[in-house]
């Protein structure tokens, strides 16, 4: 091979190498561009080609979930809530289904019980079934503490407990009298229905306004309301309705003679032993402002949310000389009232004997 031939061969090799490099660069560019395009439009292409779907097929439904529909929400709002809760695969699929309905679907506000991974049609069918709709409501029984009340309000409204706890921190925003340390005693027990647009603050304000209305009906001056609710809350926790006025009388009689109230319900409240039957030694001796074994007079504030009957009893104590009471044998909530310490100790021993003889009674 002469020099010219060798030079021609080298030029040909360089041209081939350059062509290969250009081809590789082009292919790499196309691959990069393809990856970019697929990342942005791949889902739409898959849907258009029928390779995938934006809807579940109901073959693998999951756990129950709750979805809240609030007044004024439109189809796209509801679709977004369903997707966020994992009920439907995409909000688009549910929205498209809604748009195809004739007549137009209307949703009742409330909490719907649905399942994860439902097809849009299955979700729509479930939301049209009244059995899956829970109205926003809560029943608050007498004698609950504020914590128990807020828990029930949260369960009934679908609003997180934390929002209720935060809203309840400052009693003054609900117009309560100066010096009221908490909302304990001010959340009137009853059954309430809520509108979906109501906030935790709105719901608490509803209960407070109901309590204020009841106090107004009884003619309780604003300056006396915290005191009346404190007495009523103890009455509520200590016995049955038919003993309320007698319990109230014992409280006022002890206050009158400067005798410690010695109410287990207050000691339990102050030490956090809510719902206990017998008070622990720790609860009875704990130095907190609710412990009426340690401190004379009324506790610093209410220990529960009293109902109408307990408030009535706090305002109208019985006309008796009772100074003591204790649970009566029988386990039906009745109390034995006595006028002196000797009779009281005898009544306590009678109850203890009954408890020992009936170990399954729960006392």
């Amino acid at each position: 091979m002469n020099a010219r031939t060798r030079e021609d061969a080298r030029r040909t090799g360089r041209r081939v190498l350059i062509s290969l490099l250009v081809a590789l660069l082009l292919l790499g560019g196309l691959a990069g561009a393809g990856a970019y395009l697929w990342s942005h439009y791949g889902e739409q292409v898959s849907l258009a080609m029928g390779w995938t779907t934006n809807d579940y097929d109901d073959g693998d439904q999951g756990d129950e979930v709750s979805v809240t529909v609030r007044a004024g929400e439109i189809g796209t709002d509801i679709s977004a809530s369903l997707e966020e809760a994992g009920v439907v695969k995409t909000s688009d699929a549910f929205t498209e289904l809604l748009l195809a309905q004739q007549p137009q679907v209307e949703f009742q506000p409330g909490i719907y019980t649905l399942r994860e991974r439902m097809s849009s049609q299955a979700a729509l069918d479930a939301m049209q079934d009244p059995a899956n709709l829970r109205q926003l409501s809560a029943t608050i029984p007498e004698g609950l503490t504020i914590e128990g009340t807020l828990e029930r309000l949260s369960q009934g409204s679908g609003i997180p407990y934390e929002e209720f706890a935060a809203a309840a921190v400052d009693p003054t925003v609900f117009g309560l009298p100066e010096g009221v340390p908490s909302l304990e005693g001010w959340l009137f027990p009853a059954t309430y229905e809520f509108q979906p647009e109501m906030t935790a603050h709105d719901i608490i304000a509803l209960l407070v306004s109901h309590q204020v209305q009841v106090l107004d009906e009884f003619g309780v001056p604003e300056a006396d309301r915290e005191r009346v609710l404190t007495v009523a809350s103890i009455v509520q926790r200590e016995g049955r309705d038919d003993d309320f006025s007698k319990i109230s009388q014992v409280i006022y009689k002890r206050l009158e003679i400067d005798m410690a109230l010695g109410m287990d319900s207050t000691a339990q409240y102050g030490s956090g032993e809510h719902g206990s039957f017998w008070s622990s030694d720790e609860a009875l001796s704990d130095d907190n402002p609710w412990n009426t074994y340690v401190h004379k007079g009324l506790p610093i504030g209410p220990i529960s949310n009293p109902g109408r009957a307990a408030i009535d009893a706090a305002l109208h104590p019985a006309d008796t000389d009772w100074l003591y009471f204790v649970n009566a044998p029988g386990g039906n909530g009745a109390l034995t009232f006595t006028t002196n310490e000797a009779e009281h100790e005898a009544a306590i021993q009678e109850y203890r004997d009954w408890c020992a003889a009936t170990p399954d009674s729960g006392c």
Side-chain angles (χ1 to χ4, degrees), residues 166-345:
V169 168
D170 184 3
T172 62
V173 301
F174 300 99
L176 296 188
E178 193 69 30
V180 173
S182 82
L183 289 174
E184 191 73 86
W186 289 88
L187 304 178
F188 188 78
T191 296
Y192 296 90
E193 293 186 359
F194 314 124
Q195 297 301 317
E197 65 271 16
M198 294 179 73
T199 65
H201 177 277
D202 296 334
I203 292 173
I204 291 174
L206 176 64
L207 272 67
V208 172
S209 67
H210 199 162
Q211 183 66 280
V212 170
Q213 178 183 344
V214 170
L215 292 171
D216 284 341
E217 291 174 7
F218 280 113
V220 181
E222 182 174 312
D224 292 339
R225 289 177 175 177
E226 181 79 347
R227 177 186 61 82
V228 169
L229 289 177
T230 300
V231 173
S233 71
I234 300 172
V235 169
Q236 185 74 65
R237 293 298 295 269
E238 288 285 345
R240 309 183 306 184
D241 288 20
D242 51 1
D243 285 327
F244 279 176
S245 63
K246 300 174 188 176
I247 298 170
S248 177
Q249 185 272 325
V250 170
I251 292 172
Y252 287 121
K253 184 71 174 178
R254 290 189 175 192
L255 291 174
E256 179 184 341
I257 64 175
D258 196 32
M259 176 182 176
L261 294 183
M263 299 288 169
D264 282 44
S265 58
T266 65
Q268 291 170 0
Y269 180 87
S271 63
E273 292 185 358
H274 306 310
S276 302
F277 190 85
W278 296 105
S279 299
S280 68
D281 291 339
E282 292 77 13
L284 296 178
S285 61
D286 188 59
D287 187 5
N288 64 74
W290 285 275
N291 191 346
T292 58
Y293 281 91
V294 175
H295 302 284
K296 289 183 178 181
L298 289 172
I300 192 174
I303 62 170
S304 71
N305 293 313
R308 187 182 295 271
I311 295 172
D312 187 23
L315 295 169
H316 305 99
D319 184 13
T320 68
D321 293 325
W322 304 133
L323 197 56
Y324 300 89
F325 62 86
V326 68
N327 284 31
N332 59 4
L335 301 174
T336 299
F337 290 85
T338 52
T339 58
N340 59 65
E341 189 170 359
E343 291 176 346
H344 181 56
E345 290 298 327

Side-chain angles (χ1 to χ4, degrees), residues 112-123:
Y112 289 84
T113 300
L114 305 169
R115 287 194 174 275
E116 296 174 332
R117 300 187 297 278
M118 301 180 79
S119 69
S120 295
Q121 186 63 59

